[in-house]
Amino acid sequence: MKLSLSTKLLSRSLIAAAVVLSPISLVNAQVLPSVTRSVTQPIEDLTRRLPANRVTERLTRPEKPALPELLPALTSTLTADLSNALLPVKQAISVVDSLQQTVLREEITPQGELAIAREWVVYASEADLAWFEQSPFSVTKQRYVSLLDSWLVNIQVPDAFNSLNRIKAALPAHLQSQLGRNHVYLTQSNPAEANEEGAAVKESAATTSSVETKPLCETPARIGMLDSAIEDTHPLLSTLQVREHTFIDASLPLSRAHGTAVAGILQQQLAHNSQVVNAAVFYARTQVSQGASLFDLVSGLDWLASQQVPVINMSLTGPDNPLLAKAIAGLSSKGVTLIAAVGNAGPAAPPLFPAAYPDVIGVSAVDAQGNIYRWANQGEQVALSAPGVSVLTARVKGETGPETGTSIASPAVAGWLAQWRTCQSGSDATKTAIPPALRQQLQDKGEPGWDPVFGEGAWLPAK
């Protein structure tokens, strides 16, 4: 009975702490179960560890209450867990320029997905462009996509038309299957450990790691990135040749934090003078979050296709979209190996894209000991897992520090595969499968064979 009372006291205080740490209005139904587990698990662990006589003594001696002595350890655990648990929360924002003028407005769709407000995207032919001039929709931008021999048309619709059924009813029949929301996709590294100013989190050497290995051969490789901009003057990237093209509107704030970290991971796998070709498609949503519209993602993928890169890394996630699926399938048909982060929305979250497309190798994250990253997505889309917890890499302003997330695990695999494809020039290996040379290095950490947590296994490259 006294143990139960102690638990109740702890529970009430922790619930109050959780409310202060994170306004409940920001937590959606997808995240609440993970937050609840983070709050209740430390309580259960502590009560199991406390001897019954100690609990009795605390309850009968009010001059030494148990709660103040127990709260420091719990507060430390809960602060990190609640902060991490809030990462997947989708909150629409308005992006402003340097003059505080709104230049982009996001919205949450009826399906709970993040998108640019009242914007849709269509694949169209040259002849279809004339139809849009007479339509009730405003064409905000358009781009010819050589990869698919189609025009990518971005339209803004009146509020009355802002639904799939209403827009389809207004479109010619042949365009109805070529329509998709202008969804927003997010990067997948842990913003709690890095920010745009490059502030490093102090961690001990025992909790950080790297994925740097000796290149498979000395021949310079070529790899594509779909990410934010890169700080190409960073000392860690001096061994690379970085080529970059920016696709976001000039009015949008540019971020370099995520792309710099991902390029730093690629550098650890690539031979000297290897070339990183980056399509910069992400705008800065906040100091710790980057977003990319579907229109810019497809534009970036089309440009990367023209650069003849054998491997493309995509450290980003978002919803399924028919236009993105078509672009991914087009790249795969040209022999490009596509690698993507599976996401940090938690083990109970639904599949995220592009990792969940059949033509993409989805990568999850593990720590240096091969333990799964607690917020990594799980499911059929997980092909393998790689280091992605507290991994040392490049940060903006020439700094280095630990980064966490499936965004960090994905480029480790992509860099290795790009170097392997360069060293094995002319190989007939399937571009969407894990090659035997990599498969034999995987450690089976979960159920025997493939499993939805680790995929085929965890890749822990020998230093």
Side-chain angles (χ1 to χ4, degrees), residues 14-277:
L14 289 166
I15 290 171
V19 171
V20 172
L21 286 169
S22 171
I24 194 68
S25 60
L26 294 182
V27 184
N28 62 14
Q30 178 178 321
V31 176
L32 278 174
S34 295
V35 177
T36 302
R37 289 195 300 272
S38 297
V39 173
T40 57
Q41 188 62 50
I43 301 172
E44 295 169 0
D45 291 344
L46 278 170
T47 54
R48 282 195 297 267
R49 291 199 300 267
L50 285 172
N53 60 349
R54 182 181 175 188
V55 176
T56 301
E57 181 184 4
R58 299 289 180 207
L59 290 174
T60 57
R61 296 175 59 188
E63 69 276 13
K64 290 184 179 180
L67 192 57
E69 295 184 13
L70 296 176
L71 273 177
L74 289 174
T75 301
S76 176
T77 299
L78 287 170
T79 300
D81 281 352
L82 288 171
S83 175
N84 284 335
L86 291 176
L87 296 181
V89 174
K90 288 177 287 189
Q91 182 184 14
I93 64 170
S94 293
V95 179
V96 298
D97 59 17
S98 58
L99 300 177
Q100 299 303 302
Q101 299 294 315
T102 299
V103 291
L104 181 148
R105 187 167 62 87
E106 301 172 349
E107 67 180 8
I108 300 295
T109 71
Q111 295 75 33
E113 300 161 348
L114 200 58
I116 307 298
R118 297 193 295 111
E119 287 192 4
W120 296 71
V121 187
V122 185
Y123 283 134
S125 67
E126 185 84 34
D128 294 324
L129 298 181
W131 180 90
F132 281 104
E133 294 179 0
Q134 309 299 323
S135 75
F137 313 130
S138 300
V139 175
T140 58
K141 51 188 174 182
Q142 60 191 45
R143 175 188 175 91
Y144 180 70
V145 178
S146 300
L147 176 66
L148 301 173
D149 190 22
S150 297
W151 283 88
L152 188 66
V153 182
N154 196 99
I155 59 175
Q156 191 169 68
V157 304
D159 285 333
F161 281 88
N162 198 26
S163 73
L164 181 61
N165 290 337
R166 289 298 307 275
I167 296 180
K168 278 189 171 183
L171 286 174
H174 69 281
L175 291 180
Q176 294 177 8
S177 62
Q178 308 278 10
L179 173 71
R181 286 300 305 250
N182 196 13
H183 283 127
V184 173
Y185 293 76
L186 305 177
T187 53
Q188 295 298 299
S189 63
N190 188 345
E193 296 184 348
N195 55 39
E196 184 64 26
E197 288 72 38
V201 172
K202 294 182 179 179
E203 300 193 25
S204 68
T207 61
T208 59
S209 64
S210 70
V211 292
E212 188 166 7
T213 61
K214 183 179 180 180
L216 297 174
C217 66
E218 298 303 319
T219 305
R222 233 174 116 75
I223 189 170
M225 278 177 58
L226 192 67
D227 216 291
S228 78
I230 299 172
E231 185 180 280
D232 57 3
T233 58
H234 195 290
L236 285 184
L237 307 183
S238 61
T239 62
L240 299 177
Q241 299 179 32
V242 178
R243 183 183 181 193
E244 181 172 277
H245 185 76
T246 303
F247 289 86
I248 66 171
D249 293 338
S251 60
L252 290 171
L254 191 68
S255 171
R256 289 185 171 84
H258 192 268
T260 300
V262 168
I265 299 296
L266 291 176
Q267 181 273 336
Q268 298 177 33
Q269 299 296 321
L270 299 174
H272 192 82
N273 284 331
S274 290
Q275 188 170 35
V276 173
V277 184

